[in-house]
Amino acid sequence: MQRINHHAEDRLKNEVECSSILSCRMVGEIKDMSRCSLDNMYNSFDDNYTTHFSFDIQRRMMIFSFDYYYDDNLQKDVLNPCSLVIKDWTSIQYSLEPEDEYFVLENSSVMPELALILEMKQEGNNLFLYAMSDDNEYINLNILDATVSLELVDMTKNVNVYRSSDSIRNQEEDVFMARIPYVRNKDELLEALKSSLRIPSHITCNWDVMPKLLEDPFWLSNWRQVIIAHDGISELPKSDLSMYRKVIAECRMHSMHTLFVFKDNDYSLMEI
């Protein structure tokens, strides 16, 4: 996928600074899983399908996102969006069942979309991951010297909406920035979202499908986070503002990957 024009990036930097999940304030808690039992960590996601999976071989990072996790201390499921992050490995190998031979993943390698973690264990510095893909393929991963963490969204805060004046650190390589021009009605807003986010032409955008599209922009798979920066929404009818707030609320519940940025005078209109 082609990266966003650097001139457009420069223009946006003057108005909004962006961040990846790891450094952004929207993470309420980060648990260092190197201090925890990986057996307990596997139990956290037993039979729990991912809401999003991303893999970046060049940055040595993979992220499994979930709607909830099992808290071993509380002995119950916790309905809180979270991400299992595996990164900074020195090497990664995979085998595809029923094949037994392991292959080293190169910079050009593509990882299938992993939908379910079936088993996770550690032997010395080796992390073994057994997973199922969206296509029902079974994959073994052998990851050496990885850092593993569990990131939890702080659900007490409005984690997806920011003022353009908020100071959020920019990390260009992680972020896709979409610019939404001043819009006056629902049709202009939906068309601007479709164009700026490069939503495939065959997808019809309306209020019903937009929450799912924004919480999982699968066509932007090379990007870890999506920033939607708005020039102005103050002239939207109240009914359209209400519907857009509902769309953002859905993203708050199901995604840490999409952020919405509004100018100071519009921010209060969109607070959830």
Side-chain angles (χ1 to χ4, degrees):
M1 186 183 75
Q2 228 176 8
R3 287 193 175 273
I4 196 168
N5 184 286
H6 286 294
H7 297 297
E9 282 186 356
D10 293 337
R11 289 198 301 271
L12 275 172
K13 284 179 191 175
N14 294 327
E15 300 181 45
V16 54
E17 295 178 327
C18 308
S19 148
S20 73
I21 297 168
L22 284 175
S23 61
C24 186
R25 288 168 294 173
M26 67 178 176
V27 174
E29 182 179 0
I30 298 179
K31 293 185 176 181
D32 182 359
M33 303 311 288
S34 64
R35 303 172 188 169
C36 305
S37 164
L38 281 175
D39 290 335
N40 289 339
M41 190 161 149
Y42 160 65
N43 291 333
S44 296
F45 306 109
D46 192 10
D47 296 325
N48 184 357
Y49 281 85
T50 62
T51 57
H52 184 82
F53 173 76
S54 61
F55 179 82
D56 190 330
I57 184 65
Q58 294 183 336
R59 292 177 60 84
R60 295 179 297 160
M61 179 181 296
M62 71 175 73
I63 305 170
F64 300 83
S65 296
F66 303 92
D67 280 336
Y68 67 93
Y69 67 99
Y70 182 80
D71 191 303
D72 195 51
N73 293 323
L74 298 176
Q75 295 288 298
K76 68 175 185 179
D77 289 330
V78 178
L79 296 176
N80 195 127
C82 57
S83 287
L84 172 65
V85 181
I86 302 173
K87 63 177 183 176
D88 297 334
W89 54 75
T90 56
S91 70
I92 181 168
Q93 300 176 318
Y94 82 100
S95 69
L96 186 64
E97 290 193 351
E99 300 172 2
D100 293 328
E101 183 178 359
Y102 275 87
F103 298 90
V104 177
L105 285 170
E106 307 288 351
N107 282 347
S108 60
S109 301
V110 177
M111 177 70 70
E113 188 82 9
L114 299 183
L116 185 64
I117 297 175
L118 299 171
E119 185 178 3
M120 184 157 48
K121 62 181 180 179
Q122 188 165 11
E123 294 180 4
N125 294 333
N126 286 70
L127 174 66
F128 294 96
L129 200 66
Y130 181 45
M132 185 180 75
S133 74
D134 273 350
D135 296 328
N136 295 322
E137 295 178 321
Y138 292 90
I139 297 169
N140 290 286
L141 293 172
N142 180 9
I143 309 169
L144 181 62
D145 296 326
T147 298
V148 185
S149 62
L150 176 64
E151 300 180 2
L152 308 180
V153 174
D154 185 349
M155 295 304 291
T156 66
K157 297 180 180 179
N158 192 355
V159 296
N160 287 80
V161 180
Y162 288 91
R163 292 183 178 90
S164 57
S165 60
D166 283 349
S167 179
I168 307 173
R169 187 173 53 179
N170 179 39
Q171 297 185 8
E172 290 181 20
E173 295 181 2
D174 290 329
V175 177
F176 180 93
M177 293 185 287
R179 178 71 164 274
I180 307 301
Y182 196 96
V183 292
R184 297 171 178 80
N185 56 57
K186 175 189 71 174
D187 291 339
E188 289 184 3
L189 173 59
L190 293 176
E191 181 59 35
L193 287 169
K194 182 169 185 176
S195 174
S196 299
L197 288 167
R198 303 178 186 174
I199 296 175
S201 58
H202 68 274
I203 298 178
T204 300
C205 293
N206 54 47
W207 290 135
D208 292 333
V209 303
M210 192 55 69
K212 184 60 65 177
L213 292 176
L214 297 185
E215 71 191 45
D216 182 20
F218 58 88
W219 59 94
L220 298 177
S221 58
N222 290 348
W223 302 85
R224 187 175 182 204
Q225 190 170 77
V226 175
I227 308 296
I228 304 175
H230 296 74
D231 282 350
I233 47 101
S234 59
E235 289 190 33
L236 282 176
K238 289 184 179 180
S239 59
D240 294 338
L241 284 171
S242 177
M243 291 301 297
Y244 199 28
R245 278 195 295 269
K246 290 180 180 179
V247 168
I248 294 174
E250 284 290 314
C251 286
R252 181 185 184 220
M253 292 301 297
H254 299 294
S255 175
M256 295 192 294
H257 302 276
T258 304
L259 297 185
F260 301 82
V261 181
F262 298 92
K263 293 184 180 300
D264 287 350
N265 58 326
D266 291 335
Y267 175 80
S268 60
L269 298 174
M270 303 308 296
E271 285 188 284
I272 306 302

